[in-house]
Amino acid sequence: MRLTPRGVWWFKVLMHLMFLTPIAFLAAKVLTDNAGGDPVQYIIHYTGMGALNALVVTLVISPLAKRLKLGFLMQTRRMIGLYVFVYASLHIFAFVSLDLLFAWGFLLEEVVKRPYILVGALTYIILLLLAVTSFNRLKKKMGRSWQKLHNWVYLAALLAPIHFYWSVKSEIIEPSIYILICCGLLYLRKAKFLKQY
């Protein structure tokens, strides 16, 4: 299936709305005091799940486009990848500002004491590097090293659900499902990944 340039443009608009609407919904819930008994934890969890869901979508795009011959989907990968970074940034900012109140020294202690925060921090660093180098000009300058760097998205796809799994105290079914989904999607991509090395 092929779309005209105008059709691709409208599809991208739809994708923007799909990723921006949950942020607007979160803002509305917070402003109307409907973010549950612990709004801070609600915001942190909500934005973290947004990042994880967007990451899963980025992993789905390539096999879906290949399987259903929807080449236009590949034109949305970078955009959705940047939304992963946006949600992850909101997640980090909510944790640092609302939970830790910008106590940077305490943040370092938390990273050392709590493995799930360390894993989350490593994941965010990967996402940051991918976001910064996602633009065409840098892609051309980096050459083959660009692809090697962006293959780190696969590591992020493993670390993110592990971060989720370790962060919950009792309910492990949902994070376990995400781990299985991400492992399954990575399995589908293993052949392409191995060709790079």
Side-chain angles (χ1 to χ4, degrees), residues 41 44 91-92 95 99-100 103 105-123 159 162-169:
Q41 290 305 312
I44 292 171
H91 179 63
I92 295 287
F95 175 67
D99 199 8
L100 298 185
F106 187 58
L107 173 61
L108 294 176
E109 290 179 15
E110 288 288 287
V111 168
V112 172
K113 287 193 304 183
R114 303 179 192 275
Y116 78 89
I117 295 180
L118 177 60
V119 170
L122 291 173
T123 307
L159 294 177
I162 290 172
H163 166 72
F164 182 24
Y165 184 92
W166 284 351
S167 68
V168 297
K169 294 181 173 64

Side-chain angles (χ1 to χ4, degrees), residues 15 18-19 50-67 73-74 76-82 84 123 126-127 130 147 150-161 177-190 192-193:
M15 298 299 286
M18 187 178 82
F19 286 100
L52 184 53
N53 287 328
L55 183 57
V56 168
V57 173
T58 61
L59 295 176
V60 167
I61 287 176
S62 289
L64 189 65
K66 184 177 180 181
R67 180 87 173 175
L73 285 179
M74 299 300 289
T76 66
R77 258 193 329 185
R78 179 174 63 179
M79 178 186 74
I80 298 172
L82 289 173
V84 178
T123 307
I126 293 172
L127 296 177
L130 299 184
Q147 187 60 61
H150 279 251
N151 281 338
W152 282 72
V153 69
Y154 303 131
L155 179 58
L158 287 175
L159 294 177
I177 291 172
Y178 274 97
I179 290 174
L180 290 174
I181 290 172
C182 288
C183 287
L185 290 171
L186 291 177
Y187 179 79
L188 292 175
R189 299 296 304 273
K190 71 171 183 177
K192 182 178 179 180
F193 176 75

Side-chain angles (χ1 to χ4, degrees), residues 122-138:
L122 291 173
T123 307
Y124 184 72
I125 290 170
I126 293 172
L127 296 177
L128 174 62
L129 291 172
L130 299 184
V132 168
T133 60
S134 65
F135 302 99
N136 288 331
R137 185 175 295 180
L138 272 175

Side-chain angles (χ1 to χ4, degrees), residues 26 38-50 87 90-96 98-100 163:
L26 173 63
D38 189 346
V40 170
Q41 290 305 312
Y42 182 87
I43 294 170
I44 292 171
H45 178 73
Y46 187 99
T47 51
M49 292 306 300
Y87 274 95
L90 292 173
H91 179 63
I92 295 287
F93 182 75
F95 175 67
V96 171
L98 301 178
D99 199 8
L100 298 185
H163 166 72

